[in-house]
Amino acid sequence: MVVAAVFFGLMGVFVKLGAEYFSSTELVFWRTLVGVVTLGAAALWRRERFSTPLLRYHVQRGLIGYASLLLYFYAIAHLPLSTAVTLNYTSPMFLALLSVALLRERLPKQALAGLALGFVGVVLLLRPTLSSEAWVAGLLGVGSGLLAGWSYLHVRELGRQGEPEWKVVFYFALISTLGGLLLMLFETWHPVTLENAWLLLGLGATATIAQLAMTRAYKVGRKLLAANLSYLTVVFSTLLGVGLWGDPLSAAGLAAMGLIIVSGMLASRR
C-alpha cells in the first residue's frame, strides 16, 4: 500500500503536467486505455475468461467510477495537488453515509464522530477555494469523493459475489475507456507528440502500478491497515506539490487534511 500511495501521488503529478496539453476527458481516456491493454494482455496470457454473470454491477461501478475519475482529474488540474487529492479521499466518509442511506447499515459512535470531523475538515479545506475562482474545482473535488464512495459500494458487492480482482479493475478500465471515446465525440483531440507522449505513458504506468499494488495490498494484507496506509497518498502528494509547484501550506489547510484523514480512518473501522 505504501508503494501504491507513492505511485498514486506520482499519477497526480502526471495529470497536472498533462493538463497543459490535454483535457481531463483525454487524460482519463489515456489513463484507462493503458489499464485495458495491460490487464487484457495479462488475462489473455493466463487464458482467463472475460465473461461474467455480474455485468450489471460492473457497468454501474464503471459509470460511477468513470464520472468520479473525470471530476478528480479536473480538480487536480485546477487546484493544488494536495487539496485535490485530499478532497477525493473523502470517499470513505461518503461510503459510510451511503451504506446507511442505501444499505440500512448502522454506524458505531466512533464512525459518526469521524464523519463529523471529516465534514469540518472539508469546510476548512474549501474555505479559501470558495472565495476564489477555483470554487467550481473545489466542489467537483468533493463530488469526486462522493462518487468514489458510491463506486466502492459496487466494488464491495462484486467482492462478495466472488468476482476476481482483475475483472473488477479490467471492466472499470474498459467502461471508462469506452466512455472517454464517447465523450471525445463532442471534444477536440489534442495531438500526441514527442513533447507530451511521455506524460501519457507516465500517467498510464503510474496508475496501473498503483492499482495493482493497492489490489495486492487488500488481497494479502489486513484490510483496515491497508485502508489507513492509503492516506499516505495525501502525504506524498502534499510533498510533491510543495516541491514541484511551491504549493502553499497553511496551518488551517494542514489541520483540515488531518481531520479528513482521521475521519476516513474512523469511518473505515466498521
Side-chain angles (χ1 to χ4, degrees):
M1 187 55 82
V2 175
V3 171
V6 170
F7 278 92
F8 274 131
L10 291 173
M11 183 195 77
V13 171
F14 282 109
V15 171
K16 206 163 185 66
L17 293 173
E20 182 180 345
Y21 303 95
F22 305 100
S23 68
S24 297
T25 307
E26 288 174 290
L27 290 172
V28 173
F29 169 78
W30 292 115
R31 175 250 189 267
T32 56
L33 180 62
V34 172
V36 171
V37 173
T38 54
L39 291 170
L44 289 172
W45 178 266
R46 298 193 305 267
R47 296 184 179 180
E48 300 278 6
R49 297 182 62 183
F50 289 87
S51 59
T52 174
L54 302 171
L55 186 59
R56 178 171 63 92
Y57 289 105
H58 282 293
V59 171
Q60 291 173 347
R61 187 264 166 145
L63 293 175
I64 297 169
Y66 175 60
S68 171
L69 206 54
L70 278 176
L71 299 185
Y72 183 37
F73 277 25
Y74 183 90
I76 289 176
H78 295 85
L79 293 173
L81 185 59
S82 58
T83 301
V85 171
T86 305
L87 290 175
N88 182 256
Y89 271 73
T90 57
S91 55
M93 296 164 43
F94 289 113
L95 175 59
L97 287 175
L98 290 168
S99 297
V100 173
L102 300 179
L103 304 180
R104 300 292 186 262
E105 293 185 0
R106 290 187 176 183
L107 294 182
K109 292 181 179 180
Q110 63 182 12
L112 292 172
L115 290 176
L117 288 175
F119 283 109
V120 171
V122 170
V123 171
L124 282 175
L125 195 61
L126 285 180
R127 276 181 60 192
T129 302
L130 294 176
S131 62
S132 69
E133 295 179 355
W135 65 272
V136 172
L139 293 181
L140 292 181
V142 176
S144 76
L146 168 61
L147 292 176
W150 191 5
S151 172
Y152 293 150
L153 276 182
H154 291 84
V155 172
R156 192 165 68 181
E157 182 59 29
L158 286 166
R160 287 175 177 172
Q161 297 285 345
E163 193 74 324
E165 290 90 347
W166 76 266
K167 280 189 181 181
V168 176
V169 179
F170 173 79
Y171 275 105
F172 166 64
L174 178 62
I175 292 167
S176 297
T177 302
L178 295 176
L181 283 174
L182 181 63
L183 286 184
M184 285 310 300
L185 294 176
F186 306 97
E187 292 189 27
T188 301
W189 287 96
H190 294 89
V192 178
T193 65
L194 291 175
E195 183 183 4
N196 57 37
W198 69 277
L199 295 171
L200 298 178
L201 291 173
L203 171 60
T206 53
T208 302
I209 293 171
Q211 192 77 46
L212 291 172
M214 181 183 70
T215 303
R216 180 69 175 171
Y218 279 115
K219 183 176 181 179
V220 303
R222 287 180 291 171
K223 289 181 173 55
L224 182 58
L225 176 61
N228 289 343
L229 285 175
S230 70
Y231 283 97
L232 286 173
T233 302
V234 175
V235 177
F236 292 135
S237 298
T238 300
L239 295 175
L240 288 167
V242 172
L244 295 175
W245 291 282
D247 291 344
L249 283 180
S250 65
L254 289 173
M257 291 178 195
L259 287 174
I260 291 172
I261 290 172
V262 171
S263 167
M265 291 179 175
L266 291 176
S268 300
R269 297 177 69 87
R270 292 185 288 122

